[in-house]
Every structure is written in structure tokens, then in C-alpha cells.
Amino acid sequence: MKVSELAISVGVTSETVRHYTREGLLSPSKDPANGYHRYSEQDRERLSFIQRARTLGFSLADIRQILVHADQGDSPCPLVRDLLAERLPKIRQRIAELEALAQRMEDAMTSWQDMPDGMPNGHSLCRLIESVPADAPATGGSSCPSQAHRQEAP
């Protein structure tokens, strides 16, 4: 089947199929007549597996390791269990940090409700943010989900 047919059958974009092919996670044959990639039923099953693994938070590097074990005839299940056991506490910590951030944001919105707007005056940029205690926990750096836990392309 063609890239587009495979993509539709699994519910992903053609670019996702191409990305996984470039990453070596899918191994299509080449059509000798035109050089186009041809995907098999095994590729469809593998792509479906990759999508399921992604929904559990596995990275492409993790999935590559899992597939290597499977391709060698070894059970990847112990690796899968170990990876999840290692990641779950980190995910729970991120959730706790995000819940704390949400609470700080709600508290700020409540306290800012009746606070007048201010204009920058050389000593103040934004009175709302400046009213937050200096010792309030920051969310920058590794606890910022948009930067610290950036995921690979599709």
C-alpha cells in the first residue's frame, strides 16, 4: 500500500508515516517501477503498535528499543515494564507541579480581580506580576512542561 493508504488505515498523517520511515521504525519495500515506498500489512501493524506506544508516553527512542527486542525474537515486555516504572513517578511529580501552578494562577486571578491596571513608570512594569511574592515557586527550567518535556515529531 502507498503512504497515504497506510496513513488513512491507521489514522495518522502521511507525514507521520514518512517520519517513522526516516527514523527506521518502518521498513517499506520500493516499487521497482517507480521507486515509491510500498508498505505491507506488517508495516500497518507496526505503525499501529507505534501509535499505541505513543499514547502511553513512550518516546521514539523507547519504541526503537522495544522494536529491536521484538525483531531479535526477545520479549520487550520486561523493558516496557521497566520504562513505565521509571517514568510514572516523574509523571506524577509533573502533575503535582502543574496542579500547584494552576492553584497559584487561580490565587493570582482572585487577588488581581479588583486591582487597578497600572502603567509602566520606570520602577514598575506590571503591578499584577509584581504583586506576586518574590519567594513564590517559579515554574521555569525543568519543571516547565513546554520546554523540559518536549516530544519528538509525530
Side-chain angles (χ1 to χ4, degrees):
M1 69 187 92
K2 298 177 189 174
V3 170
S4 60
E5 294 167 335
L6 175 61
I8 290 168
S9 75
V10 177
V12 299
T13 66
S14 294
E15 186 51 40
T16 297
V17 173
R18 288 185 190 98
H19 178 71
Y20 292 160
T21 301
R22 283 190 303 271
E23 290 291 320
L25 299 175
L26 299 173
S27 301
S29 61
K30 288 217 178 198
D31 187 325
N34 57 23
Y36 291 167
H37 285 138
R38 288 304 216 174
Y39 295 89
S40 65
E41 180 61 24
Q42 183 180 2
D43 290 314
R44 192 193 66 70
E45 290 170 7
R46 197 169 177 110
L47 179 57
S48 181
F49 174 85
I50 293 167
Q51 290 306 106
R52 285 187 185 113
R54 296 291 283 165
T55 65
L56 285 168
F58 288 103
S59 69
L60 292 185
D62 297 335
I63 294 168
R64 186 173 291 108
Q65 281 185 289
I66 293 165
L67 292 173
V68 164
H69 280 272
D71 291 344
Q72 293 173 347
D74 299 329
S75 173
C77 294
L79 172 64
V80 167
R81 283 187 193 100
D82 289 347
L83 288 170
L84 281 186
E86 174 188 323
R87 299 243 171 78
L88 190 55
K90 294 174 185 175
I91 293 297
R92 291 194 193 286
Q93 178 63 34
R94 271 182 60 202
I95 291 168
E97 291 169 358
L98 289 171
E99 286 175 344
L101 173 59
Q103 186 60 55
R104 285 192 305 278
M105 293 171 92
E106 288 173 3
D107 293 346
M109 290 295 292
T110 299
S111 69
W112 295 346
Q113 205 66 12
D114 298 322
M115 193 179 251
D117 292 343
M119 297 298 290
N121 61 15
H123 299 290
S124 175
L125 296 174
C126 176
R127 292 181 357 184
L128 300 178
I129 293 174
E130 291 160 349
S131 72
V132 175
D135 61 351
T139 61
S142 65
S143 62
C144 179
S146 65
Q147 293 175 355
H149 301 283
R150 201 174 299 255
Q151 299 228 339
E152 298 117 350

